[in-house]
Amino acid sequence: MRAAVFTTPGEVEVAEVPDPAPAADEVVIDVAAVGICGTDLHILDGDFNSTLPIVPGHEFAGVVMAVGSEVSTLTVGDRVGVDPSHICGRCRPCRRGRTNLCEVAGGYGTTWNGGAAEFAAIRERHCVRLPDSIETGAATLIEPLSCAIRGYDVARASIGDRALIYGAGTMGLMMLQLAKLTGLAEVHVVDISTDRLVAATELGCTSTATSADDLPHRSWDLVIDASGSAAAIQDGIPRVERGGTYLQFGVPPSATQVVIEPYRIYHEEITVTGSMATLNSYARAVDLFATGAIDPSFFISDRFPLAEYPAALEAVRAGAGRKVQVLP
């Protein structure tokens, strides 16, 4: 079969690799589509805990085409989304229920071969059968949606709060969509791209600007960084209202540093927190997606064939569109 392979930092190729065969507890899926996100760029750039070479792709879905001898809940022909996270179940965070913080955490497309391939072997327990209302290719959006749900689990937003989101890429827009479901009174969005701000306006945000200085408020109950930009993070933390929360949701480079004011955090009871991947949120994302809470036709803006996977990566790096998909 053909697959995209990150061979060494900065190098990606589309190559022939062996067809997967299912282990006893695995199924092999015919991959319908795989999404590309910023984490894939971090892996390619060597700024992640991945060992190369690896087949990337942690946002994917497909149709079961073979099952292992111990598989009992799936059959050939089932359409499934893939919850990519691997955990050990033994370390202290896992035993305390914080499996997204597993000390040896990995996942399909990050530490195990992922979905940027014609076929993928996946453990049965990582597959979630899709309801009829979800188109198989569109199900690549379930994984990022599950990350957004986890973000709001951590942020604990209250009805009537007003929020500021930095970044109107796919994840920022999903956070905007979910904000309306959590009862936030106002949601303002900042991005340096006017095209992305148009998308945020289409989704019903309260106001947009290329600088938070141009928004109608000086502080917000909830400030979310969905950009990973050091400049946005530095600008956002001081804009948290007294008693409010700052959520680091975007993924900055690991060496990023910003200046904070510890006295203000103490004196004004500011919560500074982060949201890492997913925690008991993938199945909820399936259910929410099935209700139409996320419109795939809005979020999926670009599609590339597998042979053009390197070009798809560069499109994401350049900030093109919203969600870029590859169709194996």
Side-chain angles (χ1 to χ4, degrees):
M1 72 172 185
R2 291 181 65 75
V5 182
F6 291 167
T7 54
T8 58
E11 297 294 328
V12 57
E13 63 181 32
V14 178
E16 290 289 336
V17 300
D19 288 348
D25 63 344
E26 291 181 331
V27 301
V28 172
I29 66 170
D30 184 346
V31 179
V34 57
I36 297 179
C37 87
T39 299
D40 297 309
L41 296 177
H42 285 295
I43 296 169
L44 179 61
D45 295 341
D47 190 32
F48 205 80
N49 64 335
S50 298
T51 300
L52 306 185
I54 192 171
V55 175
H58 58 277
E59 304 174 1
F60 62 109
V63 180
V64 175
M65 57 178 295
V67 299
S69 59
E70 296 177 3
V71 172
S72 61
T73 64
L74 297 171
T75 60
V76 172
D78 284 344
R79 300 180 310 110
V80 296
V82 177
D83 183 348
S85 298
H86 285 245
I87 63 167
C88 73
R90 297 182 296 274
C91 68
R92 190 166 188 266
C94 280
R95 291 184 182 276
R96 292 169 65 91
R98 301 297 298 275
T99 53
N100 63 322
L101 304 181
C102 174
E103 293 174 359
V104 293
Y108 292 111
T110 54
T111 55
W112 296 45
N113 284 337
E118 292 179 293
F119 312 110
I122 307 297
R123 287 175 175 169
E124 177 184 19
R125 68 171 179 261
H126 291 270
C127 296
V128 178
R129 189 181 288 107
L130 299 174
D132 292 341
S133 59
I134 300 178
E135 189 268 325
T136 312
T140 62
L141 293 171
I142 293 172
E143 194 279 338
L145 179 60
S146 68
C147 292
I149 291 172
R150 172 60 184 161
Y152 277 104
D153 287 346
V154 172
R156 299 189 300 274
S158 298
I159 292 175
D161 279 355
R162 62 189 186 201
L164 171 61
I165 298 174
Y166 286 83
T170 301
M171 298 312 300
L173 294 175
M174 280 195 177
M175 294 300 276
L176 168 60
Q177 283 284 81
L178 294 189
K180 297 187 294 184
L181 299 179
T182 62
L184 295 179
E186 300 179 24
V187 186
H188 306 262
V189 178
V190 172
D191 199 295
I192 60 174
S193 167
T194 54
D195 288 342
R196 287 186 169 187
L197 293 180
V198 169
T201 299
E202 291 176 7
L203 287 183
C205 69
T206 306
S207 69
T208 65
T210 55
S211 168
D213 290 334
D214 297 327
L215 292 172
H217 306 300
R218 299 279 69 82
S219 61
W220 286 261
D221 303 298
L222 173 62
V223 174
I224 301 170
D225 173 65
S227 72
S229 161
I233 297 165
Q234 186 68 76
D235 189 67
I237 295 175
R239 298 185 187 273
V240 180
E241 178 63 88
R242 287 171 174 264
T245 297
Y246 172 84
L247 174 65
Q248 187 56 51
F249 182 71
V251 184
S254 58
T256 299
Q257 295 184 356
V258 298
V259 177
I260 64 172
E261 300 177 69
Y263 178 80
R264 180 169 180 262
I265 293 172
Y266 148 74
H267 188 252
E268 299 181 8
E269 293 194 349
I270 304 296
T271 298
V272 178
T273 188
S275 170
M276 214 296 288
T278 68
L279 180 63
N280 303 324
S281 53
Y282 193 91
R284 285 185 287 157
V286 172
D287 292 341
L288 186 61
F289 197 96
T291 70
I294 297 294
D295 180 2
S297 66
F298 179 88
F299 279 91
I300 301 171
S301 58
D302 299 270
R303 292 181 172 91
F304 290 78
L306 181 61
E308 297 178 19
Y309 189 88
L313 278 176
E314 291 311 306
V316 173
R317 193 185 296 277
R322 289 182 282 275
K323 175 55 68 177
V324 173
Q325 271 194 345
V326 171
L327 308 179

